[in-house]
Amino acid sequence: MQKQPVQKKLEENFPISLTQAGKQNYQNQQFTEAVKKWQQARKILISRGDTLNEAMVLGNLAQAYKQLGQLTEAKNAIAKSIELLSSHQRENQNLFAATLNIQGSLLLSQGNIEDAIAVWKRAITIYEKTGDENGLTRCLLNQTQAYNRLGMHQRALNILKEVNQSLQNQPDSPLKIVSLLHLGETLRLTGSIADSKKVLEQNLTLAQKLNSDANISKILLALGNTYSSQGKNQEALKFYQQAIDKSKSSAIKLQAQLNTLRLLVETKNSSKARYLVAKIKPQLQSLTPSRTSVYALVNYVQSIEDLNSSEVSNKQENVKILAKAVQQAESIGDERAQSYALGYLGHLYEQTQQLKSAKSLTEKALMLAKTSNAPDIAYRWEWQLGRLLAKQHNFVEAIAAYDDAVTTLGSIRNDLVASNLDMQFSFRENVEPVYREFVGLLLTPELGEETSQENLKKARQVIESLQLAELDNFFNEPCLKADPTQVDQIDNRAAVIYPIILENRLETVVSLPNQPLRHYTNAISEKEVEKMVQKMRRAIRRKFLKKQHFAICEEIYNLMIQPLEADLAANKIQTLAFVLDGSLKNVPMAALYDGKQYLLEKYHIALSPGMQLLDPQPLENQKMEVLVGALSEGRQGFVPLPGVKTEIDKINSEVSAEVLFNQKFTSEALQKQISKTPFPIVHLATHGEFSSKAEDTFVLTWDSRLDVKELGDILHTREQLSSKPIELLVLSACKTASGDKRAPLGLAGVAVRSGARSTIASLWSVDDESTSQMMVDFYEHLREPGVTKAEALRYAQIKILGQPKFKHPYYWSAFVLVGNWL
């Protein structure tokens, strides 16, 4: 009997219905259900010999497998899709290119970044031939992710800018909105906050013009994130509220509410936070299982726990919510989400001292993170496992777990911030403690035994790695290439001192030439160290009397240097290189006092962000040519610097100098001179400020403020034209931002980003007259054969110290040498 036409049509359309239903599941992040439907559709298509549609379904399957972390299955699916499409390539080139686009995404998720770029280039070539501009744009947007992962952020931004430039000539469209959203978010992740705001605000206008409600709420959410990353919490809260009010998507609305809750908790606005908790809580009951819902449940509990209020935080209730998150993740077969929920459940058990259960949950979460290729989650559970093992006094396994966590963090330096967009993330809370706790564990001798050399070397390596991670986080990009350096091969009269601030003690590791590492412990809390630093910063102001500044300078000397005195003397040490930690970066080491002399009077002094970043080359005996950029007039709200004119006139009389003064000192002129002549020394006598944020770290020119990245780009221009790097960058009128305890990070950032082997800068705004004299004396000594940069700076500072009117440390101790002291 012949089938009825309607029934026949239904059967013919069944694979299409399954495919569409699978897409709906995928959009709802129900990836396992999507896989089931697409597998059903594929079986039918195979039975019919419909290879073209089978290839399309395989492409969908590959994306779902990727989301589930099943990368082998994803790889096989996309390979089969490409194989099937090979016979249809001529008549279906765009479909073939779309499949290559998916393959590129898979390769990227597996860490095969170069292969992904190569595949996307193939797809781009096809799209360019067929003239499919939309396909080309989507492919280029994917390619920028790969460049960001490689740390090639400028290249990624250049592509995004080109894409958006080409879209400007086309009619306004949803794709244009998506492309601008990508650009805005990429700018935020790379620290270009002002540009991110500008692009997102432009995009918001476009989305409103097209009545694209779904994109409007996404843009408002992105704007909230951009303002939040800058610490402008009130503005961020306004954008989050607009996203809540305007969004028709329950997922976006909930995400904006959770981001609002996080900010309210961070700013300790507990009354508003409690009000919002009451609004969020009912929504959690009706969440459809998806990755977004699992993250929402976990993030809600994190914020509730951080409120740390008995009125709000209920451990048992939070355990139930997390158990629900685990159940949802299991039901959709999402191992990554399951790992996130299980691990945080383990964290709650850790807090209630149920260590056995916490360890079991953590180990399961770690296994799932590894099988789903989620290193950004795995390091958290390796860290958590290390804590739990240490609490159980299983120190050997605890050290191994911490070591795994630090290794994993090192492997994802390139994309740590970007990979945590779905998770609540703070460098200070989620990364820095891993390193500090590991060092504390390594330097805790068991049963009163001496700390082993192996553990001391590992502790030094870990604290160096923290310095690198801090700078990467400062720039929001992996900008540093580390190369471990043996100090005794550089200078056999130098000691490297690593003071390490831990919660309940100060550990100091000392590296002496051709000697085993030394280790000293002081039982002083982190809070006490902070108080001492603040007290010393106050004491070195001009208005304080000698007795007041001597007392605190001697107190910190006794803490950091006195235990090392015998070793330093026995090894005839002449130079002290400090790799300073935390708030100690705000302390001018030169001003430490032993009761009779300042440290400066006994040793040459240098600072380093880490020996891994040291370029161990002595200053070449070459013509002392200096490029000077200087401002004496007040610009952009900054006061005049009348002493600068005297400073540069005297420098010009000592050395051969090319001077860009006042109106001639523009960013364009600076770049032109850098490109024109390979000056070994660049001297900038102008206002500048070091901050804990890259966008707020800058030097002033006549026409603009050059932030640390722009200054680095200008100074790096000469690397492309000359094999000789800048030997020395001098910033003679800069200061660290007031009220910013981590501001010296900006100084380290400038030192590293400039590409100069050495940088001299001031920690605070210094007297014009004393600065002018000191700089002239510095260059006079630097010209002498065999004199190192550290020696020249010390001689110049001691000469200023010897003058009665400049004897106070305020006048001479602000200047520090960062980097190569030779």
Side-chain angles (χ1 to χ4, degrees):
M1 183 177 173
Q2 197 171 7
K3 291 182 181 177
Q4 296 294 324
V6 174
Q7 184 185 351
K8 185 178 180 182
K9 191 165 179 98
L10 284 172
E11 288 182 6
E12 285 174 355
N13 290 337
F14 191 47
I16 299 172
S17 300
L18 285 169
T19 302
Q20 291 303 321
K23 285 181 179 178
Q24 189 62 50
N25 287 135
Y26 186 91
Q27 287 169 3
N28 292 332
Q29 297 194 330
Q30 297 163 326
F31 304 121
T32 302
E33 286 302 312
V35 165
K36 287 177 183 176
K37 289 187 175 66
W38 285 331
Q39 283 175 336
Q40 279 182 270
R42 188 191 171 204
K43 281 182 183 178
I44 298 168
L45 293 167
I46 290 172
S47 68
R48 294 179 182 176
D50 188 346
T51 55
L52 183 60
N53 282 310
E54 183 193 350
M56 293 171 66
V57 169
L58 280 165
N60 292 338
L61 274 167
Q63 293 186 84
Y65 284 135
K66 175 194 162 192
Q67 291 291 347
L68 292 167
Q70 298 173 17
L71 298 185
T72 301
E73 290 85 347
K75 187 178 176 182
N76 291 339
I78 204 66
K80 183 65 177 175
S81 179
I82 289 171
E83 179 191 329
L84 293 173
L85 282 171
S86 295
S87 58
H88 299 279
Q89 188 175 345
R90 285 191 178 181
E91 65 270 28
N92 289 283
Q93 288 189 67
N94 285 344
L95 179 57
F96 187 70
T99 307
L100 289 174
N101 200 1
I102 296 168
Q103 186 184 36
S105 297
L106 282 173
L107 288 165
L108 181 66
S109 66
Q110 292 173 294
N112 300 324
I113 305 175
E114 288 85 358
D115 291 343
I117 291 171
V119 167
W120 278 321
K121 282 181 178 176
R122 283 181 66 194
I124 287 167
T125 302
I126 295 170
Y127 282 133
E128 285 174 339
K129 281 182 182 177
T130 61
D132 184 344
E133 292 186 357
N134 286 352
L136 176 62
T137 297
R138 291 190 180 94
C139 200
L140 286 168
L141 291 175
N142 280 340
Q143 199 177 47
T144 59
Q145 295 178 48
Y147 287 127
N148 277 327
R149 290 278 289 273
L150 287 170
M152 299 164 69
H153 298 297
Q154 194 55 53
R155 189 161 183 177
L157 279 176
N158 288 343
I159 292 171
L160 283 165
K161 286 173 183 176
E162 283 180 23
V163 166
N164 282 285
Q165 185 66 39
S166 67
L167 287 173
Q168 277 185 5
N169 302 322
Q170 296 180 22
D172 292 338
S173 66
L175 183 59
K176 187 182 286 190
I177 296 171
V178 170
S179 184
L180 281 168
L181 183 58
H182 271 271
L183 178 60
E185 292 186 319
T186 300
L187 287 164
R188 171 176 62 84
L189 290 172
T190 55
S192 301
I193 302 300
D195 289 338
S196 174
K197 287 179 195 171
K198 185 178 176 181
V199 167
L200 290 172
E201 284 164 359
Q202 175 192 343
N203 200 18
L204 181 60
T205 303
L206 176 60
Q208 289 168 338
K209 177 184 169 185
L210 296 182
N211 295 315
S212 180
D213 292 339
N215 282 314
I216 287 171
S217 56
K218 288 178 184 177
I219 297 163
L220 289 167
L221 184 58
L223 275 165
N225 294 337
T226 293
Y227 276 96
S228 175
S229 69
Q230 201 179 14
K232 294 190 173 179
N233 296 329
Q234 291 308 311
E235 292 90 338
L237 288 170
K238 286 177 184 175
F239 280 113
Y240 288 146
Q241 188 58 51
Q242 287 181 56
I244 293 165
D245 294 339
K246 293 182 182 297
S247 180
K248 294 178 182 176
S249 162
S250 57
I252 295 289
K253 191 185 292 280
L254 181 58
Q255 185 61 60
Q257 288 177 318
L258 288 168
N259 287 4
T260 300
L261 179 60
R262 173 181 53 79
L263 272 187
L264 292 173
V265 171
E266 283 178 5
T267 53
K268 305 192 185 310
N269 194 334
S270 55
S271 59
K272 284 189 177 179
R274 281 193 287 270
Y275 174 76
L276 186 55
V277 164
K279 295 185 75 173
I280 293 173
K281 200 171 179 181
Q283 298 176 59
L284 303 179
Q285 306 304 317
S286 57
L287 286 175
T288 304
S290 68
R291 178 174 290 179
T292 299
S293 71
V294 173
Y295 278 84
L297 290 166
V298 177
N299 291 348
Y300 170 81
V301 171
Q302 283 181 299
S303 291
I304 292 292
E305 288 293 316
D306 289 342
L307 269 174
N308 196 26
S309 165
S310 56
E311 296 173 57
V312 180
S313 181
N314 182 317
K315 285 283 191 291
Q316 282 304 112
E317 187 176 342
N318 288 341
V319 165
K320 287 178 183 176
I321 293 171
L322 289 177
K324 180 180 178 179
V326 172
Q327 183 185 10
Q328 285 197 1
E330 284 178 341
S331 71
I332 60 174
D334 191 329
E335 292 185 342
R336 179 187 173 93
Q338 192 181 343
S339 170
Y340 188 48
L342 272 171
Y344 202 76
L345 184 58
H347 176 60
L348 281 195
Y349 279 117
E350 178 190 7
Q351 289 181 318
T352 55
Q353 298 302 309
Q354 295 170 273
L355 301 185
K356 188 175 179 181
S357 297
K359 181 171 175 282
S360 175
L361 288 164
T362 302
E363 288 172 334
K364 188 174 180 182
L366 179 56
M367 182 184 68
L368 288 167
K370 287 180 175 178
T371 57
S372 60
N373 296 285
D376 51 315
I377 298 178
Y379 92 83
R380 293 179 178 227
W381 311 144
E382 288 163 341
W383 170 30
Q384 188 161 292
L385 184 59
R387 292 198 307 270
L388 292 165
L389 289 164
K391 287 175 181 176
Q392 295 172 323
H393 301 285
N394 188 342
F395 297 114
V396 173
E397 288 189 30
I399 286 173
Y402 270 101
D403 203 4
D404 287 343
V406 167
T407 301
T408 303
L409 277 170
S411 74
I412 56 174
R413 277 174 61 199
N414 287 22
D415 56 351
L416 184 61
V417 176
S419 66
N420 279 275
L421 291 176
D422 294 325
M423 298 183 287
Q424 294 189 8
F425 177 81
S426 158
F427 181 85
R428 301 227 36 204
E429 293 175 5
N430 302 119
V431 174
E432 189 175 332
V434 183
Y435 294 92
R436 293 199 184 284
E437 289 171 16
F438 189 18
V439 170
L441 189 60
L442 288 165
L443 299 183
T444 303
E446 294 180 51
L447 305 174
E449 297 176 5
E450 284 288 320
T451 304
S452 69
Q453 280 295 304
E454 182 184 351
N455 279 9
L456 284 173
K457 287 176 182 175
K458 175 62 78 171
R460 178 177 63 174
Q461 178 190 329
V462 170
I463 208 67
E464 289 255 3
S465 297
L466 173 57
Q467 301 279 348
L468 293 179
E470 278 186 318
L471 284 166
D472 278 351
N473 184 64
F474 172 77
F475 287 112
N476 263 343
E477 60 185 68
C479 55
L480 308 171
K481 292 180 181 178
D483 185 18
T485 300
Q486 293 297 111
V487 175
D488 41 11
Q489 293 173 10
I490 305 168
D491 184 351
N492 60 11
R493 288 287 179 265
V496 184
I497 301 172
Y498 299 83
I500 305 163
I501 302 172
L502 302 177
E503 187 179 5
N504 58 358
R505 65 194 195 274
L506 178 72
E507 296 280 8
T508 305
V509 176
V510 183
S511 174
L512 297 163
N514 305 307
Q515 295 285 325
L517 292 173
R518 305 287 205 276
H519 166 228
Y520 308 90
T521 303
N522 280 286
I524 181 171
S525 71
E526 182 180 2
K527 288 182 179 177
E528 288 176 284
V529 172
E530 293 268 359
K531 285 179 184 175
M532 290 175 73
V533 168
Q534 290 170 13
K535 190 176 177 182
M536 181 164 179
R537 288 285 289 191
R538 288 194 298 270
I540 51 182
R541 294 174 187 166
R542 272 182 291 191
K543 63 182 180 181
F544 276 76
L545 300 173
K546 277 186 186 177
K547 284 185 180 179
Q548 290 171 297
H549 84 240
F550 277 148
I552 185 61
C553 293
E554 190 170 352
E555 200 176 337
I556 296 181
Y557 180 95
N558 290 337
L559 183 70
M560 290 182 59
I561 307 299
Q562 192 275 331
L564 329 178
E565 282 181 331
D567 283 332
L568 296 175
N571 286 275
K572 299 179 181 177
I573 296 300
Q574 295 176 355
T575 300
L576 302 183
F578 291 92
V579 181
L580 295 175
D581 183 35
S583 60
L584 289 172
K585 292 175 183 176
N586 284 292
V587 175
M589 293 292 113
L592 300 187
Y593 190 72
D594 68 358
K596 296 179 181 178
Q597 289 180 297
Y598 289 108
L599 191 65
L600 175 76
E601 296 177 274
K602 300 162 70 172
Y603 299 100
H604 312 316
I605 297 170
L607 306 181
S608 175
M611 291 298 107
Q612 298 178 61
L613 301 174
L614 191 69
D615 186 1
Q617 300 295 324
L619 185 63
E620 294 181 14
N621 290 323
Q622 57 185 324
K623 189 177 179 183
M624 195 72 70
E625 292 183 312
V626 183
L627 173 61
V628 178
L631 285 183
S632 65
E633 295 184 20
R635 296 293 292 172
Q636 302 176 49
F638 287 86
V639 298
L641 295 168
V644 161
K645 181 68 168 67
T646 307
E647 178 182 335
I648 62 173
D649 285 345
K650 288 182 177 178
I651 290 172
N652 210 2
S653 67
E654 289 289 335
V655 295
S656 173
E658 177 71 35
V659 179
L660 302 172
F661 187 53
N662 284 338
Q663 290 93 333
K664 292 183 179 180
F665 179 37
T666 64
S667 51
E668 185 180 347
L670 180 64
Q671 181 154 14
K672 187 177 179 182
Q673 285 297 334
I674 288 282
S675 304
K676 183 179 172 183
T677 309
F679 293 96
I681 299 173
V682 176
H683 185 114
L684 303 180
T686 178
H687 284 290
E689 191 161 281
F690 306 120
S691 166
S692 58
K693 295 178 180 177
E695 65 270 20
D696 295 331
T697 295
F698 65 90
V699 295
L700 195 69
T701 63
W702 183 264
D703 60 339
S704 67
R705 291 186 187 188
L706 289 176
D707 70 32
V708 60
K709 292 185 179 181
E710 293 166 332
L711 178 63
D713 289 343
I714 287 175
L715 296 178
H716 274 290
T717 302
R718 65 96 55 72
E719 282 191 9
Q720 301 158 17
L721 305 167
S722 170
S723 59
K724 294 180 179 180
I726 295 170
E727 292 286 351
L728 178 63
L729 171 66
V730 180
L731 303 166
S732 69
C734 293
K735 68 183 181 70
T736 52
S738 58
D740 185 350
K741 290 189 292 186
R742 296 168 71 86
L745 193 57
L747 170 53
V750 169
V752 169
R753 190 65 177 242
S754 70
R757 284 178 171 155
S758 313
T759 299
I760 290 177
S762 55
L763 294 174
W764 57 85
S765 296
V766 190
D767 174 79
D768 262 10
E769 185 184 352
S770 60
T771 298
S772 174
Q773 288 186 32
M774 196 179 77
M775 284 299 157
V776 173
D777 290 334
F778 168 72
Y779 284 113
E780 186 180 326
H781 288 296
L782 197 62
R783 292 171 57 191
E784 296 172 13
V787 173
T788 67
K789 298 165 194 171
E791 282 181 284
L793 180 61
R794 175 173 172 250
Y795 293 151
Q797 288 175 299
I798 286 175
K799 191 168 180 181
I800 295 296
L801 165 62
Q803 298 180 44
K805 65 177 177 178
F806 296 137
K807 200 167 185 66
H808 194 288
Y810 163 82
Y811 294 99
W812 50 266
S813 69
F815 286 94
V816 293
L817 172 66
V818 182
N820 181 357
W821 59 84
L822 298 179

